Amino acid sequence: MRITRCPRCRAEDLTADAHPTRLLQNGEVAPVFVCRNCFRAAELEFRIACEANGISYRPLGIRDSLRLLRDFYRQRLADSPDDARVSVALADIERRLAIAPV
Ligand SMILES: [Zn+2]
């Protein structure tokens, strides 16, 4: 079973519990997945980086977050097809994506 470590704390396994945020790298916004514990701090760091670089900060929309998570879990499932935790996480995200926005 493959483990995907949180890139921020390098401790938590986020294979089946990832939280999408963003990083500012060389002026480019890149999506990144962190663990539950790191999420708020990572989002705050991104916001501060945006302000420092004159980029307007906007929170990630819920559907954009869900799409990123769907792609993330699909990739994890391709890496570890037998990992039931990932199947459950992906099914939950697809169920939430299927609910039309009000
Ligand atoms: Zn973390």
Side-chain angles (χ1 to χ4, degrees), residues 16-70:
D17 189 22
H19 298 265
T21 178
R22 288 145 301 162
L23 261 186
L24 199 59
Q25 286 177 323
N26 305 320
E28 298 284 322
V29 176
V32 63
F33 298 90
V34 296
C35 71
R36 184 182 297 271
N37 297 336
C38 287
F39 175 72
R40 288 180 71 89
E43 192 66 16
L44 183 64
E45 285 162 6
F46 174 67
R47 185 174 191 153
I48 290 167
C50 282
E51 283 168 7
N53 288 274
I55 294 168
S56 67
Y57 168 84
R58 211 164 50 85
L60 199 54
I62 181 69
R63 292 189 72 78
D64 289 334
S65 296
L66 290 172
R67 280 191 206 99
L68 286 170
L69 280 170
R70 181 182 59 191

Side-chain angles (χ1 to χ4, degrees), residues 1-2 4 10 13 17 20 30-31 38-39 46 80 83 89 91 101:
M1 202 175 282
R2 209 178 282 208
T4 304
R10 299 179 195 280
D13 173 18
D17 189 22
C38 287
F39 175 72
F46 174 67
S80 321
D83 194 333

Side-chain angles (χ1 to χ4, degrees), residues 82-101:
D82 300 326
D83 194 333
R85 299 172 308 155
V86 182
S87 307
V88 169
L90 178 59
D92 181 54
I93 295 300
E94 288 183 329
R95 183 183 55 77
R96 289 165 66 188
L97 262 176
I99 300 169

